[in-house]
């Protein structure tokens, strides 16, 4: 009996020592994390701190996976779905939600926006309300900033840059529209511009954080009229201005720090070195769909003579060259391009192309599918009532 008691005491001490070791390891990890955050805050700035914090949160969340796809969702409340740093990021009428690769809800954040919209770039999203002056910046795990525009100016559109800076276009009492660019801590306005006669329709920020491209739309002599302004934040006036009479510019994007692609209702425009443009008319075809990828790829789908059963998909490189062109005999519902791949959602199938145009994968999908997303090796399809991971190859 005495020997057994000695053994029990030894086992108890051993277990207690192990618990102490585990506790010390946990404390050490927490201390190391705090030290990294402090170092980042002192040397790298707010944007880097948020990235580190996001990675840490994601690591701990991933220790307990979700129930897998398909993920059921109320389609009547969905406004937008995008990809945020490897997660599906969903904007609904009442919140934002981040889903990881196991369909686990990493984060939800409620909002009271009546007309919510979001723009995503480099792991961050700016979510804003087109009906008033409120906006916020999020990543996949937390809300980083909540803000309002000055003088209750209503938001028209927003953009977020690779550096984490944000651009907000609003209405304005003293002009038709106004642009405000804030730094990546969101506290300082680094650039402001008022457009006297036209409404800002789209904004893009260069990856180096130095430039903004702004598309405006108005009317001249009873005809629709668009302009694109290129701004260097060191100067108050635009460094370049481009006119598009008879064209409605819909959207634009910096594909490199000195190259911009603009998509209009009747042409695509390539702006090189921020001071020269080349326009390519659709020549009787109709714009059906387009997508700007973060790697600089631009994908445009044209309906031949307006036919949805005869479509031309063209992929442009960041240097404005044609990577490949594909004729399709089915309507293109959705496009997603990332990591040198292009996923195309048709009536009842998904085709994933490599950057050179060769087919990488093909999947069967439901006929009620709405949009497609390609993340790493996985392809996801959003359909009425659910988000599913593609598994049924053709």
């Amino acid at each position: 009996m005495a020997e057994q008691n000695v053994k029990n005491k030894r086992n108890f001490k051993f277990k207690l020592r192990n618990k102490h070791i585990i506790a010390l390891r946990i404390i050490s990890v927490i201390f190391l994390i705090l030290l990294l955050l402090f170092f980042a805050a002192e040397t790298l700035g707010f944007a880097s701190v948020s990235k580190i914090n996001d990675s840490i949160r994601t690591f701990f969340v991933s220790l307990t996976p979700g129930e897998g796809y398909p993920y059921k969702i109320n389609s009547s409340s969905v406004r937008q779905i995008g990809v945020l740093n490897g997660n599906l990021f969903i904007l609904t009428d009442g919140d934002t939600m981040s889903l990881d690769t196991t369909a686990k809800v990493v984060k939800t954040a409620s909002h009271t926006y009546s007309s919510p919209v979001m723009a995503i770039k480099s792991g961050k999203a700016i979510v804003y309300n087109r009906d008033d002056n409120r906006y916020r910046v999020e990543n996949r795990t937390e809300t980083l900033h909540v803000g309002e525009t000055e003088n209750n100016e209503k938001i028209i559109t927003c953009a977020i840059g690779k550096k984490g800076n944000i651009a907000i276009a609003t209405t304005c009492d003293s002009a038709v529209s106004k642009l405000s660019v804030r730094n990546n801590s969101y506290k300082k306005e680094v650039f402001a511009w008022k457009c006297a006669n036209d409404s800002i329709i789209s904004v893009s920020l260069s990856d180096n954080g130095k430039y903004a491209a702004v598309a405006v739309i108005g009317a001249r002599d009873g005809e629709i009229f668009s302009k694109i302004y290129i701004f260097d934040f060191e100067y108050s006036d635009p460094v370049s201005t481009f006119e598009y009479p008879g064209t409605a510019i819909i959207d634009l994007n910096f594909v490199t720090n000195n190259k911009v692609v603009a998509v209009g209702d009747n042409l695509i425009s390539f702006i090189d070195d921020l001071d020269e443009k080349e326009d390519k008319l659709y020549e009787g075809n109709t714009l059906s769909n387009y997508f700007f990828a973060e790697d600089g790829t631009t994908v445009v789908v044209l309906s031949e003579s307006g036919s949805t059963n005869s479509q031309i998909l063209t992929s442009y490189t960041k240097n404005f060259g044609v990577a490949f062109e594909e004729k399709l005999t089915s309507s293109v519902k959705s496009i997603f391009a990332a990591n040198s791949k292009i996923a195309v959602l048709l009536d009842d199938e998904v085709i994933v192309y490599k950057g050179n145009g060769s087919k990488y994968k093909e999947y069967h999908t439901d006929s009620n599918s709405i949009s497609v997303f390609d993340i790493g090796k996985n392809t996801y399809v959003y359909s009425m009532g659910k988000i599913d991971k593609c598994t049924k190859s053709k």
Side-chain angles (χ1 to χ4, degrees):
M1 179 67 75
E3 289 181 3
Q4 185 64 41
N5 288 336
V6 170
K7 285 182 179 180
N8 289 339
K9 287 180 180 179
R10 285 177 179 173
N11 288 336
F12 175 77
K13 288 181 179 179
F14 179 75
K15 289 178 181 179
L16 187 64
R17 185 172 61 184
N18 279 349
K19 286 181 179 179
H20 287 161
I21 291 170
I22 292 170
L24 285 171
R25 284 177 178 173
I26 292 171
I27 292 169
S28 297
V29 169
I30 293 171
F31 176 76
L32 180 61
I33 289 169
L34 291 173
L35 188 64
L36 285 171
L37 288 172
F38 175 78
F39 173 77
E42 290 296 314
T43 61
L44 303 177
F46 176 79
S48 295
V49 172
S50 65
K51 285 181 181 179
I52 293 170
N53 197 24
D54 177 60
S55 298
I56 292 167
R57 287 170 180 263
T58 301
F59 169 74
F60 284 112
V61 167
S62 68
L63 297 177
T64 54
E67 296 181 359
Y69 290 90
Y71 180 84
K72 292 183 179 179
I73 193 166
N74 180 8
S75 292
S76 63
S77 69
V78 174
R79 291 297 187 105
Q80 283 178 260
I81 302 178
V83 174
L84 193 62
N85 209 10
N87 284 11
L88 289 169
F89 195 70
I90 304 163
L91 173 64
T92 74
D93 287 333
D95 59 27
T96 54
M97 179 192 309
S98 180
L99 287 179
D100 70 8
T101 55
T102 68
K104 181 174 182 176
V105 178
V106 175
K107 182 206 74 168
T108 57
S110 62
H111 67 75
T112 57
Y113 298 169
S114 56
S115 185
V117 187
M118 68 177 178
I120 293 174
K121 188 70 175 286
S122 295
K124 291 182 183 178
I126 182 165
V127 183
Y128 58 97
N129 189 12
R130 274 200 175 130
D131 278 351
D132 66 18
N133 67 333
R134 293 175 294 158
Y135 68 93
R136 69 191 195 196
V137 180
E138 305 181 41
N139 61 23
R140 61 184 168 175
T141 58
E142 61 180 327
T143 299
L144 304 171
H145 174 74
V146 177
E148 296 181 354
T149 63
E150 296 179 350
N151 304 317
N152 202 32
E153 294 165 339
K154 291 187 176 181
I155 297 172
I156 301 170
T157 189
C158 291
I160 190 163
K162 186 176 182 178
K163 291 284 188 180
N165 53 340
I166 59 174
I168 305 170
T170 63
T171 58
C172 181
D173 289 338
S174 57
V176 173
S177 56
K178 171 187 169 183
L179 176 68
S180 173
V181 180
R182 307 190 77 82
N183 66 2
N184 59 16
S185 70
Y186 321 117
K187 296 177 181 179
K188 181 181 178 182
E189 184 179 72
V190 296
F191 181 79
W193 173 72
K194 292 181 180 179
C195 188
N197 301 312
D198 301 312
S199 179
I200 297 170
I201 194 71
S202 179
V203 183
S204 181
L205 297 168
S206 63
D207 284 355
N208 61 11
K210 295 180 179 180
Y211 307 107
V214 183
V216 303
I217 194 166
R220 302 289 188 276
D221 301 322
E223 183 181 52
I224 197 164
F225 190 95
S226 298
K227 278 186 176 183
I228 291 177
Y229 298 95
I230 308 294
F231 292 99
D232 182 330
F233 299 149
E234 296 293 326
Y235 307 97
S236 58
D237 294 325
V239 294
S240 298
T241 303
F242 306 95
E243 297 187 349
Y244 300 86
T247 295
I249 296 296
I250 299 166
D251 205 354
L252 81 174
N253 182 53
F254 270 98
V255 294
T256 70
N257 286 323
N258 66 344
K259 296 179 188 291
V260 176
V261 175
V263 173
D265 63 337
N266 57 12
L267 59 80
I268 181 169
S269 185
F270 302 97
I271 299 172
D272 195 14
D273 289 329
L274 304 183
D275 62 4
E276 295 181 1
K277 79 177 177 77
E278 181 182 349
D279 299 335
K280 185 175 181 180
L281 295 170
Y282 299 153
E283 297 178 347
N285 299 323
T286 305
L287 180 66
S288 173
N289 216 320
Y290 71 94
F291 189 88
F292 294 133
E294 290 198 20
D295 64 5
T297 300
T298 302
V299 184
V300 174
V301 178
L302 301 179
S303 297
E304 288 192 288
S305 303
S307 172
T308 57
N309 294 321
S310 180
Q311 304 206 312
I312 305 169
L313 182 147
T314 307
S315 174
Y316 296 96
T317 69
K318 63 182 179 182
N319 293 317
F320 304 153
V322 175
F324 74 93
E325 192 168 272
E326 185 83 1
K327 285 199 173 186
L328 302 166
T329 57
S330 179
S331 176
V332 175
K333 293 181 178 180
S334 172
I335 315 163
F336 188 89
N339 302 317
S340 301
K341 290 184 293 179
I342 298 169
V344 181
L345 176 63
L346 304 175
D347 285 334
D348 58 0
E349 67 174 327
V350 172
I351 302 175
V352 182
Y353 295 94
K354 292 182 180 179
N356 61 6
S358 61
K359 289 183 180 179
Y360 176 64
K361 288 182 180 179
E362 295 180 74
Y363 302 100
H364 288 291
T365 62
D366 296 337
S367 58
N368 65 356
S369 55
I370 298 169
S371 53
V372 65
F373 309 93
D374 200 71
I375 308 173
K377 296 180 179 179
N378 298 317
T379 303
Y380 302 83
V381 171
Y382 165 52
S383 305
M384 291 298 293
K386 66 177 181 178
I387 300 171
D388 207 354
K389 187 183 292 185
C390 292
T391 55
K392 296 179 182 178
S393 298
K394 288 187 66 177

